[in-house]
Amino acid sequence: MIGAMSMQPLKDAVAEILPTSNGKVNGKHHAVKPAELHPFDPLTPTEIRNTVSVLKAQFPDVPLRFKVIELLEPTKADVIPYIEAERLGRPLPLKPARLTFSYFHRMDKGIFYKAILNPSSGKVLSLKELPGTIQGPIDVDEMMSIEKFCLQHPAVLAEIEKLRLPAGYSVCTDPWIYGTDDEGENRRLIQCYMYIVEVDHPECNHYSLPALFSPVFDAVKLELVRMDYLPSGDSYEGVPVAPWKTVKAVQYAHDLLDEPVRTDLKPYIVQQPEGPSFSVSEDNLIQWQKWRFRLGFNYRDGMVIYNVTYDGRNVFYRLSMNEMTVPYGDPRAPYHRKQAFDVGDVGLGITANQLALGCDCLGHIKYFDGYRTDSKGNPVQLKNVICLHEQDGGLLHKHTNYRSGRATVARNRQLVVQMICTVANYEYIFAWIFDQAAGIDFEVRATGILSTIPMENQEDETCEWGTNVAPGVVGSYHQHLFNLRIDPAIDGFKNTVFYEDSVPLPADPVKNKWGVGYTTKDTKITEGGHYETSVPLHRTYKIRNDSVINKITHKPVSYKIMTAPSQMLLMGPDSFDAKRAGFATHPVWVTKYNEGELYAAGEFTNQSKKGTGLEVWSERKDKVENEDVVFWHTFGLTHNPRPEDFPVMPVERLMVSMRPNGFFDKSPAIDVPQSAQNANQSTLYANTKTNGVNGKITAETAACCHTNPLPNGSH
């Protein structure tokens, strides 16, 4: 995880810039009238173009450079009447106006602006000059220009010359967001980490050959600030560049491997001959197994889940993975500044992969596109950035009556909404998983390649702040801390958060004579702030609607949030890392809903000096009982690399789950059909001496889903 982006997919995306002259995409008209768009629909090329036209009209004959053009999140109070009318089948009120915002630079004066406007009417609602201390997110064009400038700079070429590389070798760079170590530093800086490329191949693993020098550039003036020399081993001193000691790169691409690829893996084919069980409308409305929700996309969050209902009942208003920070634990310069905010610094939508059939998603796939803006204000199509498909999640439920041997069994069909983001070296796979029992999982899988640092002595040297993962290569200790924003609507938009602890009963000669009793203790959260998880207490957070009582439990209906208890930020409280990422110092935060409060670290993270998000909003101490509340959960990985993580890391998996808790009177999945062989069409291993013949299922074995004879008395 680093503060740079994946360059190859972005270079590919540049080719998809949409023409501005005739409103056509690949020769076809794609303009959509605002009246036809849903409030939650993603940004369109027409809205991008209109926004650019309005802003250029505000600054005639002034060169503008666009960083971001995106939809402004619709005002919740204006949207609720509309989506409630949709849910209840009532006449629809007027749609809320679709507004856009833009971060852009006035190039003649170097001023950074934020504008809010109506792209349909052309009315500018807000135009604000931002302070010089604020740095906007990095964009694709900027990153590519810095990379090119770095590799052509005379000082960099002089250091490359000192390496005396063998014929055929070259050097590349990963530009990193600079980070922070100085309150007074307001220049827009980029730290370029350098790598040696062993062979001219599009998948050559340069991370296996890190170099010992790292230039810092002023990204605005395009000038060299200084040349940093990197320490090696346990030393704090930078090592000057000397002739490189040749070492073979450890490759991950299949056609560069020294060893043969396995040949004993048989095809695994996922087919749905009758098509999928989901439906998707033109306005991104997805319906599946009593679930109904809308899929959004923006440059920052990437995919967003809106207006989630189950069997006609409200469950969640908005779900998104809104921020993450990846701080590195090496205290030496310049590594002490390595702290990326991949959402705020760059954007998950910007770095989303173009997904491919048979690779990233299996089965019957529906893809969704997105759009971003280049620095000139042109819309750029991002193809296939989200995939939608079904998968088998194992058993949903099963019970065998041991007396009769009869079994009731249903398999757990799941609906997956997935996005994969490449942020230079790391990949993150984000998936929302809906099940047939009214549960939702949010899964994060981390893979890709470690951010590596050089080890000059390749024989017996080690590093206190990392692991040797290859000859001359150290994988630094670091953390991946994510924040999930859950905007609930549990049977309505006024909810209360509480947590339930499981506690042992005290010894008592009457009430707990045998010492086995335990009970639960509920603690209602009445004030906005931060809260803790607890594995010893099996602490479970729940969100309830105090106005709707379950007739079975006689308690308010609720959903429980099954958190992922994790080690929080390890960096000291006075460090810039902690000041910038206050959200990562506690696992649970509860706030009252306020417009514009969407990102846990605040609006701007690039070279920030302190966070302007949860740590600030929680200080209001808002009353959050029976209010429009937001639940924020920080979770993650403390990643101390191992050699097995290199050259490409097998996935590390994290999951947060949302489950109905007294929301229904009984299992909502009881009506899922019995699992049946005639539908699933499993086959037997052909060489076994069982009832199967050449892998085919006989009548006797076909009954196995429904019969399971057990010895009398077995459990």
Side-chain angles (χ1 to χ4, degrees), residues 105 107 129 201 226 290 306 391 414 419 455 507 525 530 566:
H105 285 95
M107 298 303 290
E129 181 179 328
H201 185 281
R226 69 174 181 276
K290 302 185 182 181
Y306 287 107
Q391 69 182 18
Q414 297 174 326
M419 172 181 70
M455 178 73 73
I525 294 176
H530 56 75
S566 310

Side-chain angles (χ1 to χ4, degrees), residues 589-705:
W589 303 72
V590 179
T591 62
K592 186 176 179 179
Y593 180 90
N594 275 278
E595 294 296 334
E597 294 182 358
L598 297 172
Y599 303 107
E603 186 173 8
F604 298 103
T605 60
N606 186 3
Q607 292 181 235
S608 61
K609 309 300 190 299
K610 61 181 180 180
T612 58
L614 286 173
E615 59 270 80
V616 175
W617 307 330
S618 63
E619 290 299 314
R620 296 192 303 252
K621 305 296 182 185
D622 291 331
K623 300 303 178 186
V624 294
E625 181 181 359
N626 196 28
E627 292 284 356
D628 189 355
V629 298
V630 181
F631 183 94
W632 312 72
H633 177 36
T634 301
F635 62 101
L637 298 166
T638 296
H639 189 185
N640 302 327
R642 56 200 178 112
E644 293 85 352
D645 289 333
F646 200 73
V648 63
M649 186 175 83
V651 294
E652 293 267 1
R653 182 174 297 180
L654 292 164
M655 185 173 286
V656 178
S657 298
M658 289 147 268
R659 296 286 185 269
N661 194 97
F663 193 75
F664 301 99
D665 299 338
K666 60 183 178 182
S667 168
I670 203 70
D671 58 349
V672 175
Q674 176 92 350
S675 182
Q677 168 59 15
N678 60 1
N680 297 330
Q681 299 185 32
S682 297
T683 57
L684 288 174
Y685 179 50
N687 293 335
T688 56
K689 297 179 180 179
T690 62
N691 296 324
V693 179
N694 293 326
K696 296 180 180 180
I697 302 297
T698 65
E700 183 179 352
T701 58
C704 67
C705 289

Side-chain angles (χ1 to χ4, degrees), residues 25-273:
V25 181
N26 297 330
K28 299 178 181 179
H29 285 279
H30 280 255
V32 180
K33 296 179 181 178
E36 299 173 354
L37 295 170
H38 192 275
F40 295 142
D41 277 351
L43 182 72
T44 67
T46 298
E47 289 171 318
I48 293 174
R49 294 189 189 99
N50 290 351
T51 299
V52 171
S53 296
V54 171
L55 292 176
K56 286 184 175 180
Q58 288 287 313
F59 297 92
D61 301 320
V62 174
L64 303 181
R65 189 186 191 285
F66 296 93
K67 281 216 155 288
V68 170
I69 295 175
E70 189 53 81
L71 278 181
L72 188 70
E73 191 74 17
T75 302
K76 190 174 183 180
D78 295 339
V79 172
I80 286 176
Y82 188 87
I83 61 176
E84 279 295 272
E86 285 185 319
R87 182 178 69 89
L88 299 171
R90 295 174 179 170
L92 297 178
L94 289 176
K95 292 179 182 178
R98 283 171 64 90
L99 305 180
T100 58
F101 73 92
S102 178
Y103 303 138
F104 65 97
H105 285 95
R106 177 174 177 156
M107 298 303 290
D108 59 341
K109 295 185 178 180
I111 300 174
F112 189 35
Y113 286 95
K114 179 181 180 180
I116 299 174
L117 56 91
N118 186 320
S120 298
S121 68
K123 184 177 181 180
V124 177
L125 305 177
S126 171
L127 183 61
K128 180 180 179 181
E129 181 179 328
L130 297 172
T133 55
I134 288 179
Q135 300 292 346
I138 201 159
D139 61 74
V140 177
D141 294 349
E142 179 182 25
M143 184 65 75
M144 295 175 70
S145 68
I146 287 290
E147 182 173 337
K148 181 179 179 180
F149 181 76
C150 170
L151 294 174
Q152 293 177 348
H153 195 280
V156 173
L157 295 175
E159 297 299 325
I160 294 174
E161 182 66 27
K162 294 176 187 177
L163 291 171
R164 298 183 187 173
L165 296 176
Y169 283 67
S170 60
V171 171
C172 70
T173 183
D174 272 9
W176 262 71
I177 296 289
Y178 184 74
T180 306
D181 63 0
D182 183 354
E183 285 279 3
E185 179 59 82
N186 293 320
R187 291 174 295 178
R188 188 175 180 85
L189 302 179
I190 298 291
Q191 181 106 37
C192 289
Y193 289 100
M194 311 301 294
Y195 300 90
I196 297 167
V197 181
E198 182 181 64
V199 60
D200 184 13
H201 185 281
E203 292 185 278
C204 182
N205 184 16
H206 59 274
Y207 297 108
S208 188
L209 303 175
L212 282 163
F213 66 100
S214 175
V216 176
F217 294 100
D218 184 317
V220 176
K221 296 181 179 179
L222 279 183
E223 63 183 24
L224 179 70
V225 174
R226 69 174 181 276
M227 186 70 70
D228 286 340
Y229 296 95
L230 307 182
S232 178
D234 288 336
S235 171
Y236 280 79
E237 300 299 322
V239 178
V241 176
W244 181 60
K245 301 174 184 177
T246 303
V247 59
K248 185 170 177 55
V250 181
Q251 302 290 356
Y252 64 89
H254 289 131
D255 52 352
L256 293 178
L257 297 180
D258 292 330
E259 59 268 29
V261 176
R262 302 179 193 187
T263 58
D264 58 349
L265 194 63
K266 303 294 178 64
Y268 179 81
I269 300 172
V270 180
Q271 294 182 332
Q272 293 180 277

Side-chain angles (χ1 to χ4, degrees), residues 386-668:
I386 299 174
C387 68
L388 176 74
H389 63 100
E390 293 176 284
Q391 69 182 18
D392 181 83
L395 291 183
L396 175 64
H397 59 235
K398 180 174 183 175
H399 178 67
T400 300
N401 186 315
Y402 74 86
R403 294 175 179 85
S404 65
R406 294 291 295 179
T408 294
V409 56
R411 295 200 67 79
N412 184 17
R413 184 79 63 85
Q414 297 174 326
L415 183 71
V416 181
V417 190
Q418 181 174 281
M419 172 181 70
I420 304 175
C421 300
T422 298
V423 198
N425 55 304
Y426 261 112
E427 265 76 17
Y428 296 100
I429 304 165
F430 301 105
W432 291 98
I433 304 170
F434 296 79
D435 69 27
Q436 295 165 297
I440 303 174
D441 295 324
F442 178 69
E443 181 185 71
V444 179
R445 283 175 283 169
T447 180
I449 302 177
L450 299 167
S451 178
T452 55
I453 62 175
M455 178 73 73
E456 185 185 27
N457 187 338
Q458 302 167 10
E459 301 301 324
D460 54 6
E461 199 171 31
T462 60
C463 178
E464 184 178 351
W465 308 283
T467 304
N468 293 18
V469 295
V473 186
V474 172
S476 300
Y477 297 156
H478 59 284
Q479 294 182 283
H480 305 253
L481 293 164
F482 307 90
N483 188 270
L484 186 62
R485 184 181 183 276
I486 299 173
D487 189 341
I490 308 302
D491 257 347
F493 300 93
K494 299 288 187 180
N495 293 155
T496 299
V497 180
F498 69 102
Y499 57 84
E500 175 191 272
D501 293 338
S502 296
V503 295
L505 290 174
D508 185 280
V510 176
K511 295 183 178 180
N512 191 20
K513 180 178 180 180
W514 307 108
V516 299
Y518 82 88
T519 188
T520 58
K521 178 183 177 182
D522 291 348
T523 301
K524 181 169 56 179
I525 294 176
T526 60
E527 186 176 84
H530 56 75
Y531 299 88
E532 305 304 318
T533 54
S534 175
V535 172
L537 293 172
H538 187 64
R539 180 164 295 171
T540 303
Y541 283 86
K542 300 181 182 181
I543 306 173
R544 73 190 188 202
N545 187 326
D546 290 331
S547 301
V548 183
I549 305 300
N550 184 297
K551 67 182 182 181
I552 300 298
T553 66
H554 308 296
K555 295 180 179 181
V557 296
S558 71
Y559 258 68
K560 67 178 181 179
I561 311 299
M562 300 166 68
T563 57
S566 310
Q567 186 173 40
M568 292 293 100
L569 190 75
L570 280 165
M571 289 65 194
D574 295 328
S575 67
F576 277 104
D577 287 36
K579 291 176 183 177
R580 302 175 70 208
F583 77 89
T585 60
H586 297 280
V588 172
W589 303 72
V590 179
T591 62
K592 186 176 179 179
Y593 180 90
N594 275 278
E595 294 296 334
E597 294 182 358
L598 297 172
Y599 303 107
E603 186 173 8
F604 298 103
T605 60
N606 186 3
Q607 292 181 235
S608 61
K609 309 300 190 299
K610 61 181 180 180
T612 58
L614 286 173
E615 59 270 80
V616 175
W617 307 330
S618 63
E619 290 299 314
R620 296 192 303 252
K621 305 296 182 185
D622 291 331
K623 300 303 178 186
V624 294
E625 181 181 359
N626 196 28
E627 292 284 356
D628 189 355
V629 298
V630 181
F631 183 94
W632 312 72
H633 177 36
T634 301
F635 62 101
L637 298 166
T638 296
H639 189 185
N640 302 327
R642 56 200 178 112
E644 293 85 352
D645 289 333
F646 200 73
V648 63
M649 186 175 83
V651 294
E652 293 267 1
R653 182 174 297 180
L654 292 164
M655 185 173 286
V656 178
S657 298
M658 289 147 268
R659 296 286 185 269
N661 194 97
F663 193 75
F664 301 99
D665 299 338
K666 60 183 178 182
S667 168

